Amino acid sequence: MPQNPVPPRWPLLVLRVCAALVALLAAGQPFLAGGFLQGYYPLLDAHMMAAMILATVVLLAVLAGLLAWRLAGGPARFAVTYGVLLVSCAAQISLGFERALLLHIPLGVGIFVMAEKFAVDVFTFRPGAATAVPKAAETVEVQA
């Protein structure tokens, strides 16, 4: 039996698929809301359904982040960040149903920014790459 078994790559692949879906769904929400505000009223229902789908995919991203952390040795931050996004989506949905647009719109912008940033983080993560900060004893100071 090998001393250092290679971790499976499929959890990271699942996380990347979820991250891409979250980013795409979050990017589509402003267009649906804008169409409603421009007078095409059926887009409000589409905006609501897309929000429900987005929250579901974010939940799947949290689970995928947990799998990537526990099975593939990835960082725990993916599960934590998507957990924060899930709480934000739940608050956003409740604010939308209450028609509290004063909070709903800025939170929506924040969710969009978080979703896109988290997707970039997931896709730029390289398993096995040295991510540790060098220790103070390892750094070399040059004196002039």
Side-chain angles (χ1 to χ4, degrees), residues 3-144:
Q3 293 292 343
N4 294 326
V6 177
R9 293 192 45 89
W10 67 265
L12 185 59
L13 178 65
V14 171
L15 179 61
R16 286 179 174 167
V17 168
C18 288
L21 287 173
V22 167
L24 288 172
L25 287 165
Q29 284 293 79
F31 294 101
L32 296 173
F36 163 72
L37 292 174
Q38 193 166 345
Y40 190 66
Y41 299 113
L43 287 182
L44 182 61
D45 288 334
H47 182 69
M48 180 189 67
M49 289 303 297
M52 299 295 180
I53 294 168
L54 173 62
T56 303
V57 176
V58 171
L59 176 61
L60 293 175
V62 171
L63 297 174
L66 289 171
L67 287 174
W69 171 47
R70 298 303 293 163
L71 297 180
R77 74 174 186 265
F78 295 139
V80 172
T81 54
Y82 278 106
V84 169
L85 189 59
L86 181 62
V87 171
S88 300
C89 285
Q92 179 73 338
I93 290 170
S94 67
L95 288 170
F97 281 130
E98 293 295 321
R99 305 282 195 257
L101 297 181
L102 183 65
L103 298 172
H104 182 76
I105 292 172
L107 182 57
V109 172
I111 287 172
F112 169 76
V113 170
M114 284 189 289
E116 306 310 311
K117 185 203 179 305
F118 296 164
V120 169
D121 289 347
V122 168
F123 277 94
T124 57
F125 172 72
R126 297 289 173 244
T131 57
V133 177
K135 296 178 186 172
E138 296 175 354
T139 59
V140 177
E141 293 184 22
V142 177
Q143 296 182 3

